[in-house]
Structures are given as structure tokens and as C-alpha cells.
């Protein structure tokens, strides 16, 4: 690979050039690339069509426009195309739910980046597309964040700039068979690193991971049991990369077709041979969803409605009743009467209640402040089993660097006072009447973090229970997106999961990620009983964790090592020759 002018060229590769010495993207009749390289019609191994000879307007040194210029020769038009292309994958997530679209949604973006006239433009296409992706997937945050969602998207979108360089390097020009194979492995690996960084709680958590769009596809859920949502994301990206190769270059179509077949066979193999959980009976868990309650006294009226719905469960033989997040407000929790009413409900129904409290409390270590807590209540009142939410929503439940960003509370709906974090996960054991069932509680968007559910199952949880409240985003895509995460967590760990909310969508999933019973939509105010199949045994993801992430890191490390070795083995340029003399014999001042 030849490096000219101190930059890494991207795009064309002589190994993939056609017999006529040109790529499919418009090299000249003399077999030169857009950058004017002679011989093989390329600008050096791995070099892009116009290499470093592109002018500021995207033209090559000889004045010709690079491949893919056309209507996208304008930087503004190209930027708009990148923004729209990056936003397309959002259609694969609920509520549109076009899960099949995820396997081709990235193709326009990949094709755009591969035609970038320079590395800088490839990185810019990646950044702008990343902005489009973040805004489209998180657009329902606009009522809370207002203009800050654009700033957030611009910052997070930077994660896609290096990915743009990677795509252009591996897909640009006419890829050889070996480069096509590398692209189908490394391009998804680069995307997975973006998902890994975005999964940090301080950046909003793992919301909108591409693999999560496949939550209702049985083969994809089997893949999740092997490598979690990470492996599903890798699969979706690999198919997109292969599809882009099919469209972009005739020479790579055979290789791309073979690679797509390999992906399909891999999914079939995992579906056939991956360990499956073994059913061990059923458990009856009820979800109480009071629905939207607004106006003066809404907290007290919501509690009354939850109490009324819970009474309706009497005689139905439930083992546990689950209320949604913040189902009990600070004022109610401080009154002794609340504990008495909850205990009476537990006796009447014959099952413990898992409620959720958003109130000032003191934890086991003596810290006092506002905690979001899952609290188990039995016939005699609170049992002492309590889980304090560990991963808080930035701005929604705390303001990062409040001394600097506290002014955000006057603009959006940021938390006026920071909630405190719990310091450990908790597995709760129900009384013998419920056969000693062990449940693992999560609160709100903690269900988006694969590692938290995995830890609960490793600690012995038989059922994962998530309590949530998405009433702020009631008429958006958020409730459906949030509820869908339960299917992935269940499939990853081979354990059933219940997703209970205040205002919908509440749902339940079996140990293979299959939907159980009838979900409660955002228009429902009801109590629903789910007969959940219990299971034993562990999945491959449960045993080995996030191994696809480490595999992706290894693939990128190998690529960097290979490129580094090539750079070291490349001979240094020789000394410059003597200056050319003019017709008048003066090397310093031609023409004199």
C-alpha cells in the first residue's frame, strides 16, 4: 500500500482492478484513475479514485470529477444524502418495526461513503450520517432536550467519523476478493465499537443498538443466546456490507454472494445447535398498569387506581404482582398508612407486591437522598428486600457536572435534584407460597444494559423483572422500543422477563424471547396475568458474556497491525534528483 503526501489513501486496489485496467467507476479510456495514475488504472494499492490529487471542489488534478460525483458533487447535497442515509435504520425499530429493513438500511450510507473523493470527505460523511442516526433513533427525546438533542447528536455522531474512513478504505474502488472478505468482518467490527462506546451510561446507554431491531425474529433471538445483542448487530452489519458489495462492484459480487451465504449458514447452525433452556414449569405474574393519570392529585389517584386493579386479581392464583416505576411517590411512601394498604393488598391477593418508590430514603450504608427503589411488600408490610437503581438517566434523573450544566433545568425537563445510585444488584426470594421464586429487579432503562440482566441470572434469578415509566413519551416510539428490549434480555439469558410500566407498553417474554400473553398498550388501564414458563440451564452468552465485542476488537487490532507492518516494510523514498534545467540553462529562473 503506497502512502503519498503523508496520508493513507483509500479506495481502489490494483488487486481488484478489471482486465482493462479500470474499475467500474469511470476511469478513463487510457486506464488511468481519477487521480491520473497510469498503468493499472489505480492510484496505488488501496488508493481512492482521485487519491490525494483531488482539488478543493472534489475534482481530480486533471479536472475530472471522481466516481459518484454526479448530483452529489455539491457538498450540501452530499451532506443531506449522508444525513438521510444515516437516519434510515431507525425504521427497523419499533414503532415502525420494519425489522427486515435493517439488513439493507445501511447500504445507501455505505455506498455514499465509498465514493468519497478524499479521506476527509469520507470521515465527514460518517459524522453527518451518525448525526442523522442519533436524531432519528432518539427523536422522541426532543420534548425533553429541545435543541440539545442536535448538540448531543453532533457529539455522538463523531464516533462514526473513523468508521467512515474504514468503510472508504475497504469498500472504495474495486475491492479484491480478499479485501471484500476483510470488509465484511472489519466494517461490522468498527460499527460494534461505536455501539460499545455509546453504551456507556453517561452517553445515554445502549439504546438503539442495531441488533435490538431484531427482537421479534426467532433466528435472531437464537443468535442473541449465543453472543448477545452484540452478535446480532455484527450479523446485521455483515449482511449490509455484503449487500453493498453486491450493488457496488461487479468483480466483488461472487465473493459478496458467498459471504452472504456464509452468514445465512451461520445463523442456521446457531439455531440448530446452540444450547436451549429446559422448561421447568410456570409461574403466574401479574402486571398492574394504572394508565395515564394527570392533573391535581395525580400521584394519589394513580395509587388508588393501582390498588383497585390489584384487588381485581384476588382468587387468580398469582405468585407476584408488579407495579411500574415510581408507582409510589415521596409523599405516599412517608405515610405509615401506605405500608398498611399495600400489606392488606398482599394478603387479599395471596402474593407479594413488587412496587417502586421514588422518594427520599436512607440506604444500607447510611446515605440519605432520593433513590429509585424496587421494594418487595408482603402480607406484613415491606419485607426489607429493596433494590436501588444503579444506572441513572442523564439529565432525567441527574445532571452531569451540575455546577456547569445545572442551567439545563431551566430549559428542558432536567432533574431538579440528583437521584442517588444503588451500589449493588439484588436478587429477591419470594416466600414458599410462590415456591421460593427468585426474581431479579431492574428499573427503567437498565433493561437496555445486557450485562445487568446477565449478572442477575448468574446470581440465581429465575425471572427478570423490569419496572418502567415512559409516560413523558407516551405518544412516541419510546414505549414500544423500551418494551421490545425484554425479548432480547430473555433470549440472551434463557430466562423469562416481565416489563411492567405505569402507562404502557407492559409485556412479558418467555426464556427464548418469545412473547407471552397479551401486552398492555399505551391506551390501557388494566391488570394482566402472565403465565411465564420457567427454565434452567445456561445460554452461551450467559456463560461467556460479551465475546463478540472482544472478537471485534481483535479484528480491528489485526487490521491495524497489518497496515503498520506494510508501512514499515515500504522502502523509504530515494533522494530527489537534480533540478531540471530550462532551455536557457538556468535551473533557478526558467525562461531566462
Amino acid at each position: 500500500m503506497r502512502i503519498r503526501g503523508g496520508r493513507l489513501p483509500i479506495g481502489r486496489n490494483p488487486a481488484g482492478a478489471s482486465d482493462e485496467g479500470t474499475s467500474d467507476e469511470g476511469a478513463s479510456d487510457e486506464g488511468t484513475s481519477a487521480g491520473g495514475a497510469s498503468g493499472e488504472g489505480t492510484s496505488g494499492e488501496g488508493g481512492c479514485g482521485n487519491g490525494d490529487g483531488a482539488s478543493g471542489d472534489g475534482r481530480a488534478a486533471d479536472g475530472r470529477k471522481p466516481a459518484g460525483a454526479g448530483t452529489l458533487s455539491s457538498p450540501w447535497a452530499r451532506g443531506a444524502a449522508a444525513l438521510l442515509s444515516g437516519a434510515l435504520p431507525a425504521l427497523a425499530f419499533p414503532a415502525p418495526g420494519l425489522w427486515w429493513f435493517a439488513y439493507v438500511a445501511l447500504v445507501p450510507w455505505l455506498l455514499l461513503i465509498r465514493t468519497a473523493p478524499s479521506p476527509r470527505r469520507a470521515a465527514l460523511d460518517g459524522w453527518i450520517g451518525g448525526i442523522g442516526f442519533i436524531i432519528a433513533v432518539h427523536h422522541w427525546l426532543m420534548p425533553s432536550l429541545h435543541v440539545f438533542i442536535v448538540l448531543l447528536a453532533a457529539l455522538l455522531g463523531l464516533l462514526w467519523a473513523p468508521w467512515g474512513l474504514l468503510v472508504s478504505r475497504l469498500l472504495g474502488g474495486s475491492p479484491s476478493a480478499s479485501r471484500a472478505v476483510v470488509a465484511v468482518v472489519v466494517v461490522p467490527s468498527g460499527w460494534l465499537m461505536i455501539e460499545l462506546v455509546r453504551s456507556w451510561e453517561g452517553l445515554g446507554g445502549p439504546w438503539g443498538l442495531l441488533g435490538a431491531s431484531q427482537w421479534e425474529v426467532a433466528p435472531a433471538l437464537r443468535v442473541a443466546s449465543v453472543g448477545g445483542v452484540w452478535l446480532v448487530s455484527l450479523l446485521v452489519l455483515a449482511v449490509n456490507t455484503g449487500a453493498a458489495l453486491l450493488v457496488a462492484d461487479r468483480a466483488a459480487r461472487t465473493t459478496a454472494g458467498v459471504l452472504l451465504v456464509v452468514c445465512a449458514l451461520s445463523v442456521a447452525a446457531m439455531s440448530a445447535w446452540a444450547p436451549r433452556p429446559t422448561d421447568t414449569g410456570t409461574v403466574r405474574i401479574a402486571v398492574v398498569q394504572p394508565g395515564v393519570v394527570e392533573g391535581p392529585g395525580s400521584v394519589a389517584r394513580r395509587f388508588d387506581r393501582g390498588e383497585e386493579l390489584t384487588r381485581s386479581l384476588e382468587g387468580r392464583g398469582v405468585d407476584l404482582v408488579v407495579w411500574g416505576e415510581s408507582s409510589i411517590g415521596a409523599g405516599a411512601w412517608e405515610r405509615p398508612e401506605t405500608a398498611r394498604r399495600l400489606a392488606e393488598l398482599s394478603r387479599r391477593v395471596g402474593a407479594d407486591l413488587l412496587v417502586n418508590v421514588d422518594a427520599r430514603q436512607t440506604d444500607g450504608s447510611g446515605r440519605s437522598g432520593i433513590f429509585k427503589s424496587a421494594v418487595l411488600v408482603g402480607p406484613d408490610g415491606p419485607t426489607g428486600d429493596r433494590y436501588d437503581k444503579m444506572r441513572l438517566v442523564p439529565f432525567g434523573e441527574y445532571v452531569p457536572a451540575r455546577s456547569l450544566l445545572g442551567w439545563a433545568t431551566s430549559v428542558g425537563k432536567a432533574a431538579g435534584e440528583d437521584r442517588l445510585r444503588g451500589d449493588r444488584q439484588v436478587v429477591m426470594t419470594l416466600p414458599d407460597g410462590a415456591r421460593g421464586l427468585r426474581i431479579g429487579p431492574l428499573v427503567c432503562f437498565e433493561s437496555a444494559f445486557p450485562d445487568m440482566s446477565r449478572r442477575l441470572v448468574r446470581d440465581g434469578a429465575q425471572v427478570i423483572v423490569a419496572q418502567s415509566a415512559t409516560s413523558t413519551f407516551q405518544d412516541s416510539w419510546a414505549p414500544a422500543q423500551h418494551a421490545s428490549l425484554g425479548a432480547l434480555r430473555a433470549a440472551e439469558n434463557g430466562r423469562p422477563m416481565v416489563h411492567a410500566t405505569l402507562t404502557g407498553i407492559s409485556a412479558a417474554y418467555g426464556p427464548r424471547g418469545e412473547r407471552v400473553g397479551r401486552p398492555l398498550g399505551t391506551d390501557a388501564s388494566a391488570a394482566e396475568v402472565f403465565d411465564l414458563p420457567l427454565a434452567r440451564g445456561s445460554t452461551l452468552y450467559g456463560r461467556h458474556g460479551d465475546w463478540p465485542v472482544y472478537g471485534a476488537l481483535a479484528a480491528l487490532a489485526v487490521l491495524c497491525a497489518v497496515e503498520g507492518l506494510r508501512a514499515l516494510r515500504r522502502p523509504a523514498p530515494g533522494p530527489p534528483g537534480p533540478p531540471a534545467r530550462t532551455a536557457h540553462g538556468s535551473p533557478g529562473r526558467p525562461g531566462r
Side-chain angles (χ1 to χ4, degrees):
M1 181 178 65
R2 184 179 308 132
I3 296 181
R4 297 176 298 163
R7 296 193 299 176
L8 178 65
I10 55 177
R12 283 172 167 66
N13 187 328
S18 64
D19 294 337
E20 292 78 21
T22 63
S23 75
D24 293 333
E25 297 188 15
S28 68
D29 294 339
E30 291 79 20
T32 60
S33 72
S38 62
E40 313 248 336
T42 64
S43 56
E45 182 180 352
C48 70
N50 68 325
D52 295 326
S55 63
D57 64 354
R59 293 180 180 270
D62 59 3
R64 291 177 293 133
K65 290 185 179 181
T71 58
L72 296 181
S73 57
S74 164
W76 292 102
R78 191 176 183 94
L83 191 71
L84 179 60
S85 299
L88 288 178
L91 297 176
F93 294 92
L98 305 178
W99 63 265
W100 52 267
F101 185 58
Y103 293 94
V104 294
L106 292 172
V107 171
W109 193 5
L110 293 169
L111 294 178
L112 178 72
I113 294 175
R114 76 179 292 273
T115 63
S118 68
R120 180 181 298 177
R121 185 69 234 189
L124 186 60
D125 289 342
W127 178 38
I128 296 175
I131 293 174
F133 180 85
I134 292 295
I135 291 178
V137 173
H138 298 83
H139 72 275
W140 42 269
L141 286 172
M142 287 182 181
S144 297
L145 297 182
H146 301 290
V147 70
F148 291 105
I149 192 173
V150 179
L151 177 60
L152 177 66
L155 292 174
L156 290 178
L158 289 171
L159 295 172
W160 277 271
W163 185 74
L165 289 171
L166 189 66
V167 169
S168 188
R169 169 70 180 88
L170 294 173
L171 296 184
S174 183
S176 64
S178 60
R179 185 146 64 99
V181 172
V182 172
V184 171
V185 174
V186 175
V187 169
S189 297
W191 181 282
L192 199 64
M193 292 303 101
I194 298 171
E195 293 197 336
L196 181 66
V197 174
R198 285 203 302 118
S199 296
W200 179 47
E201 171 196 348
L203 294 179
W207 197 284
L209 304 186
L210 202 56
S213 66
Q214 306 303 295
W215 67 279
E216 54 184 341
V217 183
L221 292 173
R222 292 288 292 146
V223 173
S225 75
V226 174
V229 67
W230 313 112
L231 187 58
V232 183
S233 286
L234 282 174
L235 172 69
V236 172
L237 260 294
V239 173
N240 274 276
T241 307
L245 286 167
L246 280 175
V247 173
D249 192 77
R250 285 197 303 267
R253 285 176 184 170
T254 300
T255 304
V258 171
L259 292 171
L260 290 175
V261 171
V262 169
C263 289
L265 292 176
S266 299
V267 173
M270 285 184 273
S271 297
W273 293 311
R276 298 175 183 268
T278 303
D279 293 342
T280 60
T282 59
V283 61
R284 304 203 83 192
I285 296 182
V287 170
V288 170
Q289 179 177 297
V292 178
V293 180
E294 299 176 324
S298 59
V299 175
R301 288 188 290 114
R302 184 171 61 230
F303 184 92
D304 292 342
R305 179 58 177 160
E307 190 176 33
E308 177 186 356
L309 292 171
T310 303
R311 287 198 195 99
S312 71
L313 298 170
E314 185 177 0
R316 300 188 63 179
V318 297
D319 298 301
L320 176 69
V321 180
V322 184
W323 289 20
E325 179 187 11
S326 302
S327 48
I328 301 178
W333 190 245
E334 292 168 356
R335 294 194 293 268
E337 178 191 0
T338 300
R340 181 190 61 76
R341 291 169 67 181
L342 292 172
E344 193 275 331
L345 284 175
S346 176
R347 289 192 297 270
R348 187 165 184 168
V349 176
D352 281 12
L353 278 61
L354 185 68
V355 299
N356 193 275
V357 180
D358 187 1
R360 195 172 301 279
Q361 303 177 72
T362 301
D363 69 355
S365 61
R367 293 181 302 159
S368 293
I370 301 177
F371 289 91
K372 283 276 189 80
S373 304
V375 179
L376 192 65
V377 180
D380 299 321
T383 64
D385 282 334
R386 167 180 153 188
Y387 165 67
D388 297 325
K389 185 178 182 182
M390 296 175 63
R391 296 183 181 172
L392 304 177
V393 179
F395 294 98
E397 293 169 340
Y398 77 102
V399 176
R402 183 176 286 274
S403 59
L404 296 175
L405 301 177
W407 52 268
T409 58
S410 62
V411 179
K413 298 179 180 179
E417 180 179 350
D418 292 347
R419 271 58 175 169
L420 298 185
R421 304 172 188 272
D423 55 10
R424 64 188 178 90
Q425 291 190 257
V426 175
V427 174
M428 302 175 180
T429 303
L430 300 184
D432 291 339
R435 293 164 294 171
L437 183 72
R438 293 170 62 82
I439 62 171
L442 299 169
V443 181
C444 191
F445 89 143
E446 288 182 332
S447 64
F449 293 85
D451 64 301
M452 297 195 73
S453 299
R454 179 171 176 262
R455 166 57 69 88
L456 288 172
V457 172
R458 290 174 68 87
D459 288 346
Q462 297 169 278
V463 179
I464 305 167
V465 180
Q467 297 171 297
S468 177
T470 52
S471 54
T472 304
F473 314 107
Q474 189 72 0
D475 298 320
S476 72
W477 296 356
Q481 288 184 15
H482 200 177
S484 69
L485 297 174
L488 285 159
R489 303 292 88 85
E492 286 171 343
N493 299 285
R495 296 293 184 272
M497 181 164 180
V498 174
H499 180 80
T501 72
L502 289 180
T503 59
I505 296 172
S506 298
Y509 304 93
R512 297 169 184 83
E514 73 278 15
R515 199 186 319 228
V516 174
R518 179 179 65 91
L520 295 175
T522 54
D523 59 345
S525 175
E528 185 72 18
V529 177
F530 298 99
D531 291 312
L532 288 174
L534 296 175
R536 66 167 179 262
S538 59
T539 62
L540 289 176
Y541 176 74
R543 296 175 200 169
H544 305 296
D546 302 328
W547 63 266
V549 174
Y550 304 122
L553 279 169
L556 292 169
V558 169
L559 178 68
C560 291
V562 170
E563 295 290 356
L565 288 174
R566 286 179 178 175
L568 290 174
R569 292 175 179 174
R570 189 172 301 113
R581 303 184 70 86
T582 65
H584 293 281
S586 172
R589 303 186 64 184
R592 297 187 60 137

